[in-house]
Amino acid sequence: MRILVCIKQVWEPESLFDLQGTELRPRPPLRRKVGSYDELALEEALRLKDRLPRTNLTVLSVGPPPVVDVLRRALGMGADRAVHILAPDQPPPRPATLAAWIAAWAQGQNFDLILTGVMSEDAMQGAVGPMLAAHLGWPPVTSVVSLKVDGHALAVEREMEGGRRQRLALPLPALLTVQSGPNQPRYPTLSNLLRAKKTTPLTVDAAGLAAPPDREKVVALTPPEKRRAGLVLEGSAAQKAERLLAMLRERALL
Amino acid sequence: MSAGAKSRVVVVAEHSQGRLSPVNWELMACAGQMARVLGLEVAAAVLGQGVEPLAGEIAQRTGVKVWAVEVEGMAAFHGEAQRLALAQLLPAWRAQAVVGAHSTSGLDWAPGLAARLEAAYLPGVEGLSAGPEGPRFSRTAHYGKVREELAPTAWPLVLTVQPGTFPAAPPGEAGHGEVEVVRLPAPPCRSQLLEVVDGAGTDAGLGRAKVVVAAGRGVGQAENLELLRRLAGLFSSAALAGSRPVCDLGWLGYGHQVGLTGATVSPSLYIACGISGARQHTVGMQGSGFIVAISNDPQAAIFNLADVCIVEDLTVLIPALLEQASGYSDPASLQGDLPGRPG
Ligand SMILES: Cc1cc2nc3c(=O)[nH]c(=O)nc-3n(C[C@H](O)[C@H](O)[C@H](O)COP(=O)(O)OP(=O)(O)OC[C@H]3O[C@@H](n4cnc5c(N)ncnc54)[C@H](O)[C@@H]3O)c2cc1C
């Protein structure tokens, strides 16, 4: 079975930044990582590979040169091959563009299964996976929390509001987006990391891949509105604690 | 587009088990604003089987035209069937915009539909305004820490509305809207919906508690939950809740999860400990009376929703709270069983 997992490199969530026009400027030191849902998608693919011996697992990421780091980590976790679609990240490509680029490369690669995270951890648009499926003419199933492969058939469960689950059956090839669940991503192994160090990902320049013109444009970035008072307590931890307790008592909450 | 007749913004209603979801009235509110900004007419569609009464309910409450689309074989929500059916029907409906929810269902059909229609896709919309060159849609981006405004540069539009951000449209006085029944043969789906099963749904007493102390991934390790249990123990009616990652990690059972795919709570006091404030979490707690947030990240999104913001390591702050509340100074004396511990 040939599996493709698409992963996005994101900033560590706590990274501080400044807004400049329609750009986010990170304050150094900027640390990056694999988006958490994408890492879970990779983990699901690795579990399939553990069970189905003749599985070949490709991991793909779109972005500027630093995305090679997340590809190496994925190889360290056990992926067989890495593909880097080289593209600038400013302005961030729209989901439709990302989907078109990935589709342009993936078409003709004979993948049986494509996995992505249910959303990117930072932008939370949940669009690239289903749009990629639309390009390939495959049915996407989103928010998948369990999957089993039996020959050319897939049995999946997707999670809905209130924890309700749908069970679906579908044939391969298919695209699934993975929701979080009890499975935690594995750590890279030393031997895989050593191998990854020596592996150069296949680089594909996005400039050579077809994509439609943007259908939406980011015109402003501003700090989010405060929806409540948002009183920030100052001082030492003990002073903050004292102040909070006083406020709760004043409001008869304590 | 035929001259004369107004183009439409079509709300695709969510329903399950024969009931409309409350989020539909929020979608209607968004569509109403779009209609004003863009000069469109609002309409709605309900897809499934036996959906005519649901369409009637929407038509009666809002006064808009509603299509009851009876889709052969679609006994429950099925994203692929919904997407294929909509792609087929929307052109005839003069739909310039399609509105769904940024929910697990909306996310299953809307982006693929946008790709298929070559439409602009606006995910997780929280507001809109008229810009100099057309409408602008706002959403939160980058871990909920930034408000992003998107301007579509192509039509039609497919948008998903972030649940819990538009105030539900009140029932209109426009009178009963028209219901039109459309019958579709089963779309050529590759996936087959086998069944829908209920979630664990075990109630961890979250609904009844006056105070909810909620743990996020920032709790760091399961052992630190003890601090939160003790904090909950300071109140007479308190329950311990968690964000989704905390439940995924098995630190708390899924019955404790608050948010889009968990419980919705509105206690008098909600204390968010080590929770970043993703929309999927806050939709489940934003109605709380008083919200206290503790996070070590000064830019965490949860602070935009809190009455009181405490930027601090929770493993330092909570012991300080416990110490001052009880007058104890020796942390060792804080050991032992306390209320708030799940059974
Ligand atoms: C379809 C869908 C449905 C979802 N449904 C839900 C849902 O129902 N409920 C839900 O909660 N989530 C849900 N999510 C997940 C949601 O998007 C977020 O990923 C999740 O809420 C994040 O949880 P968190 O805030 O605990 O963790 P994080 O986002 O990792 O935040 C941890 C926070 O703790 C802070 N922190 C770290 N260490 C410390 C410390 N020592 N002291 C103080 N602060 C610290 C960090 O700075 C950060 O602010 C859903 C996602 C999807 C895609």
Side-chain angles (χ1 to χ4, degrees):
Chain A
M1 181 151 86
R2 288 169 62 82
I3 307 180
L4 174 68
V5 182
C6 305
I7 62 176
K8 177 180 177 182
Q9 186 179 52
V10 298
W11 299 357
E12 284 287 351
E14 291 82 25
S15 310
L16 297 176
F17 62 89
D18 297 294
L19 285 176
Q20 214 155 77
T22 52
E23 234 186 272
L24 295 180
R25 291 281 169 83
R27 289 189 207 155
L30 175 61
R31 285 178 305 129
R32 300 181 170 95
K33 61 160 202 163
V34 187
S36 59
Y37 298 109
D38 297 339
E39 200 175 19
L40 293 169
L42 179 57
E43 176 60 32
E44 285 310 318
L46 290 165
R47 281 171 191 242
L48 283 179
K49 189 174 149 71
D50 293 342
R51 289 199 296 271
L52 307 167
R54 278 183 303 116
T55 296
N56 186 281
L57 174 54
T58 302
V59 58
L60 175 151
S61 190
V62 182
V67 305
V68 169
D69 294 343
V70 292
L71 291 173
R72 290 235 159 86
R73 182 172 174 96
L75 290 170
M77 286 168 72
D80 297 299
R81 186 169 73 127
V83 177
H84 174 198
I85 297 187
L86 179 66
D89 62 354
Q90 284 304 331
R94 303 299 309 155
T97 308
L98 293 165
W101 284 339
I102 300 171
W105 177 78
Q107 223 128 30
Q109 297 276 332
N110 291 320
F111 288 114
D112 300 295
L113 180 64
I114 301 183
L115 300 180
T116 72
V118 61
M119 292 180 169
S120 62
E121 191 181 348
D122 52 354
M124 300 201 146
Q125 308 192 91
V128 173
M131 287 183 171
L132 172 57
H135 278 286
L136 299 171
W138 299 1
V141 180
T142 60
S143 261
V144 168
V145 287
S146 144
L147 73 119
K148 289 195 184 72
V149 181
D150 184 7
H152 276 276
L154 267 180
V156 304
E157 284 185 18
R158 67 180 299 269
E159 195 189 306
M160 303 198 294
E161 274 67 23
R164 278 157 54 79
R165 288 179 173 208
Q166 291 186 315
R167 291 207 310 111
L168 294 116
L170 67 162
L172 295 172
L175 183 144
L176 311 177
T177 77
V178 175
Q179 168 63 299
S180 68
N183 292 348
Q184 296 297 316
R186 66 192 63 190
Y187 287 101
T189 64
L190 194 59
S191 60
N192 281 338
L193 278 175
L194 289 174
R195 181 177 59 90
K197 251 196 172 145
K198 286 185 250 148
T199 317
T200 320
L202 170 69
T203 305
V204 180
D205 195 336
L209 301 172
D214 284 350
R215 301 185 191 118
E216 52 303 292
K217 187 171 181 267
V218 175
V219 287
L221 292 183
T222 50
E225 278 171 82
K226 290 231 175 276
R227 297 210 262 162
R228 297 213 181 194
L231 179 72
V232 181
L233 303 190
E234 308 284 354
S236 67
Q239 287 166 328
K240 289 172 186 167
E242 191 181 345
R243 186 76 201 285
L244 176 62
L245 290 172
M247 291 181 75
L248 296 181
R249 288 199 182 102
E250 264 165 42
R251 286 172 176 72
L253 292 166
L254 185 67
Chain B
M1 215 117 301
S2 64
K6 254 191 179 179
S7 300
R8 295 191 175 102
V9 47
V10 178
V11 168
V12 181
E14 292 211 347
H15 59 97
S16 78
Q17 298 170 303
R19 293 224 186 106
L20 291 169
S21 318
V23 77
N24 291 318
W25 316 122
E26 300 171 19
L27 307 186
M28 278 294 179
C30 174
Q33 287 189 27
M34 287 176 69
R36 282 192 292 282
V37 170
L38 300 167
L40 300 172
E41 180 182 298
V42 181
V46 197
L47 289 82
Q49 279 184 352
V51 292
E52 204 180 332
L54 300 180
E57 206 179 315
I58 300 175
Q60 187 188 4
R61 172 162 164 152
T62 63
V64 308
K65 159 147 197 166
V66 186
W67 283 280
V69 186
E70 296 288 337
V71 185
E72 191 190 329
M74 193 174 160
F77 172 79
H78 180 196
E80 190 181 14
Q82 179 131 322
R83 179 169 49 84
L84 293 172
L86 287 169
Q88 185 181 337
L89 294 166
L90 287 166
W93 291 348
R94 300 196 314 273
Q96 277 288 60
V98 185
V99 178
H102 204 58
S103 60
T104 61
S105 310
L107 282 164
D108 205 43
W109 61 264
L113 181 71
R116 167 76 194 277
L117 299 176
E118 300 188 354
Y121 182 57
L122 306 154
V125 168
E126 302 189 348
L128 66 124
S129 59
E133 293 116 42
R136 289 174 164 209
F137 295 86
S138 64
R139 61 185 304 274
T140 54
H142 195 69
Y143 300 103
K145 295 177 174 187
V146 175
R147 181 168 172 275
E148 175 179 88
E149 281 187 65
L150 285 173
T153 53
W155 296 81
L157 318 179
V158 174
L159 57 138
T160 56
V161 171
Q162 189 69 60
T165 52
F166 282 85
E173 280 122 44
H176 206 298
E178 180 202 350
V179 172
E180 185 182 330
V181 180
V182 180
R183 288 180 205 286
L184 273 195
C189 291
R190 306 224 356 230
S191 63
Q192 190 192 350
L193 177 64
L194 301 176
E195 65 170 340
V196 184
V197 285
D198 275 333
T202 49
D203 168 23
L206 298 182
R208 291 180 301 277
K210 292 205 182 75
V211 176
V212 171
V213 176
R217 186 149 40 194
V219 161
Q221 53 193 69
E223 293 69 48
N224 287 340
L225 277 179
E226 199 51 34
L227 288 172
L228 276 74
R229 289 207 177 92
R230 290 169 187 286
L231 179 58
L234 296 179
F235 304 92
S236 56
S237 158
L240 199 59
S243 66
R244 183 172 177 113
V246 165
C247 301
D248 285 338
L249 286 160
W251 297 348
L252 289 173
Y254 281 105
H256 293 259
Q257 184 184 313
V258 166
L260 183 70
T261 45
T264 299
V265 297
S266 46
S268 311
L269 172 62
Y270 191 91
I271 309 181
C273 308
I275 291 179
S276 63
R279 278 287 188 254
Q280 290 82 15
H281 181 80
T282 60
V283 69
M285 48 65 79
Q286 62 188 6
S288 303
F290 196 71
I291 298 174
V292 176
I294 306 166
S295 168
N296 61 3
D297 175 4
Q299 290 179 324
I302 191 77
F303 290 138
N304 299 314
L305 199 89
D307 295 286
V308 178
C309 310
I310 305 180
V311 183
E312 192 69 65
D313 185 328
L314 64 88
T315 61
V316 175
L317 187 88
I318 300 177
L321 279 170
L322 295 171
E323 186 180 319
Q324 297 196 19
S326 55
Y328 291 148
S329 54
D330 173 14
S333 67
L334 286 173
Q335 272 163 23
D337 252 18
L338 279 163
R341 180 193 290 276

